[in-house]
């Protein structure tokens, strides 16, 4: 049952993340060249999920990431 709950949460998290980043690719968020288009202003966060008060409900808790030693950059593989 734990693995099924984890799989359900992974699907909810992927659907919740409204961007493309790394292995998480959404066709509606891509560049003209077909590469992943990130939304760092919205998604440069650390997130954790907790169970809600009813079955199959999860609550996302997020905090912004702060980069001091490196700049946040987009990779281009072409």
């Amino acid at each position: 049952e734990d693995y099924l709950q984890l799989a359900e949460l992974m699907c909810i998290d992927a659907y919740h993340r409204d961007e493309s980043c790394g292995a998480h690719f959404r066709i509606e968020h891509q560049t003209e060249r077909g590469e992943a288009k990130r939304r760092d202003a919205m998604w440069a966060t650390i997130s954790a999920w907790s169970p809600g008060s009813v079955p199959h409900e999860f609550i996302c808790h997020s905090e912004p990431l702060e980069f001091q030693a490196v700049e946040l950059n987009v990779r281009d593989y072409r």
Side-chain angles (χ1 to χ4, degrees):
E1 183 178 338
D2 290 340
Y3 286 115
L4 291 174
Q5 187 178 34
L6 177 61
E8 179 182 17
L9 178 56
M10 289 173 71
C11 292
I12 290 169
D13 183 61
Y15 183 76
H16 176 75
R17 181 170 287 275
D18 191 26
E19 72 163 354
S20 289
C21 185
H24 180 89
F25 185 82
R26 291 182 64 155
I27 196 164
E28 66 270 22
H29 296 289
Q30 63 180 315
T31 66
E32 295 80 28
R33 294 178 7 185
E35 298 201 21
K37 185 176 182 181
R38 296 186 342 201
R39 297 175 63 193
D40 291 336
M42 182 176 181
W43 291 106
T45 61
I46 184 74
S47 300
W49 291 85
S50 66
S53 58
V54 297
H56 307 288
E57 177 186 57
F58 301 96
I59 301 166
C60 182
H61 308 274
S62 295
E63 294 180 12
L65 292 173
E66 297 178 12
F67 298 92
Q68 297 173 354
V70 296
E71 283 186 38
L72 195 57
N73 289 313
V74 176
R75 289 182 272 178
D76 186 356
Y77 294 103
R78 291 184 185 209

